[in-house]
Amino acid sequence: DTAVSQTPKYLVTQMGNDKSIKCEQNLGHDTMYWYKQDSKKFLKIMFSYNNKELIINETVPNRFSPKSPDKAHLNLHINSLELGDSAVYFCASSQGAGGDYGYTFGSGTRLTVV
Amino acid sequence: AQKITQTQPGMFVQEKEAVTLDCTYDTSDQSYGLFWYKQPSSGEMIFLIYQGSYDEQNATEGRYSLNFQKARKSANLVISASQLGDSAMYFCAFLYNFNKFYFGSGTKLNVKP
C-alpha cells in the first residue's frame, strides 16, 4: 500500500491554465505539506496543514491555493500557470512535528508548463 | 532566520569505502531536529536518519550515522561501506518550531565500482 500518494505523476499544461494536484496519505498522520523542488533540486516548503488547518504558508504566489477536505487529503490548486511554475511538487505527511520518523514523502508530481 | 548549508554539490566515493556528506546549520533555537533524506534518480524522497538537538548520542541507522556536533552546528552524514545503490542526491533538512522544515541544496553522491 502506498503511504503518501500523489496524482498525477506527470502534468504537462499550457501557460494560463488552471490545474490541481491531489495528495492522499493512509498513515493516519495529522500534518500534511506541499514542497516545491526546483530545477536545481532545492526543496522549499510551500504549505503545511495540521488537522485541516493551515499552519504554514510560506511566500508563495496566491495563484497557489491548498485545500484540505480532511486530514488525509491535501490538494494543491494552481491558477493561471506560468513557465516558472515548472518544477517537481512533493506532498508529505508527518505525525505532529515529525520527530524520529521524519516526514513521509509522496513520489512527486513533475509539472511542466509550456 | 534559519539556514542550512550543504557545501558539496557533488562527491565521488569508491565502492566499499566510507563517505561523509557535510551539513551545517545556523539557528538560535535550542530545540530542533536534523534529518537526512536520499533522493535516487527515480525521484522519490527516502528518509534515512534523524537527530534531535537534545539527543546526546549520535544517531545511527544501519550503514548510516549522523556525526552531530552541536557546538559547531554541524550534522554530517556518514555512509559506511558504500554500495552502488547509494548513488543519489542527499538532502540535509532542519526542523524547528515543530513544523518549519527547511532543506539544504543537496549533495550528489556517485559511488564508483
Side-chain angles (χ1 to χ4, degrees):
Chain A
D1 282 345
T2 303
V4 180
S5 60
Q6 293 178 232
T7 53
K9 191 169 175 62
Y10 298 97
L11 182 56
V12 181
T13 188
Q14 289 187 322
M15 277 174 54
N17 284 350
D18 303 338
K19 290 292 178 185
S20 292
I21 308 172
K22 295 185 178 181
C23 179
E24 176 182 5
Q25 54 96 3
N26 62 6
L27 298 165
H29 287 167
D30 60 6
T31 308
M32 294 184 73
Y33 312 81
W34 277 108
Y35 285 85
K36 179 180 180 180
Q37 186 177 40
D38 62 23
S39 57
K40 295 182 181 177
K41 300 291 188 181
F42 188 70
L43 270 162
K44 186 174 180 183
I45 191 168
M46 299 173 69
F47 302 104
S48 171
Y49 270 75
N50 177 265
N51 284 317
K52 301 195 299 174
E53 289 191 23
L54 180 66
I55 54 172
I56 291 178
N57 184 359
E58 294 292 303
T59 306
V60 174
N62 56 16
R63 298 181 295 105
F64 290 79
S65 53
K67 294 238 177 358
S68 182
D70 54 61
K71 71 175 191 178
H73 295 84
L74 180 61
N75 303 325
L76 183 65
H77 188 74
I78 316 170
N79 289 327
S80 302
L81 277 154
E82 300 177 357
L83 294 177
D85 297 333
S86 295
V88 180
Y89 292 84
F90 283 94
C91 177
S93 72
S94 70
Q95 183 57 35
D100 288 346
Y101 300 101
Y103 290 26
T104 303
F105 282 84
S107 56
T109 296
R110 181 174 293 278
L111 171 66
T112 304
V113 182
V114 298
Chain B
Q2 321 294 339
K3 186 178 177 181
I4 187 157
T5 305
Q6 293 179 253
T7 57
Q8 306 152 313
M11 288 195 69
F12 286 90
V13 65
Q14 202 68 38
E15 193 179 8
K16 298 181 186 175
E17 291 185 352
V19 63
T20 298
L21 306 184
D22 294 343
C23 174
T24 58
Y25 57 94
D26 186 15
T27 184
S28 56
D29 283 32
Q30 296 301 308
S31 179
Y32 52 86
L34 294 151
F35 300 79
W36 277 92
Y37 283 86
K38 173 183 178 181
Q39 187 179 43
S41 58
S42 51
E44 70 267 33
M45 293 288 283
I46 303 166
F47 168 71
L48 295 179
I49 198 166
Y50 165 80
Q51 179 89 40
S53 58
Y54 293 116
D55 294 340
E56 294 182 357
Q57 302 272 354
N58 283 347
T60 59
E61 290 286 347
R63 294 185 299 110
Y64 303 108
S65 60
L66 201 153
N67 184 1
F68 182 47
Q69 298 188 40
K70 193 171 181 178
R72 292 186 174 187
K73 296 184 179 176
S74 74
N76 299 337
L77 177 71
V78 181
I79 306 174
S80 62
S82 297
Q83 301 171 357
L84 296 178
D86 293 336
S87 293
M89 283 287 286
Y90 288 81
F91 290 93
C92 181
F94 177 84
L95 172 71
Y96 78 102
N97 202 22
F98 295 106
N99 281 301
K100 291 278 190 178
F101 198 36
Y102 293 97
F103 287 84
S105 53
T107 296
K108 187 169 176 61
L109 178 66
N110 283 294
V111 180
K112 298 188 291 186

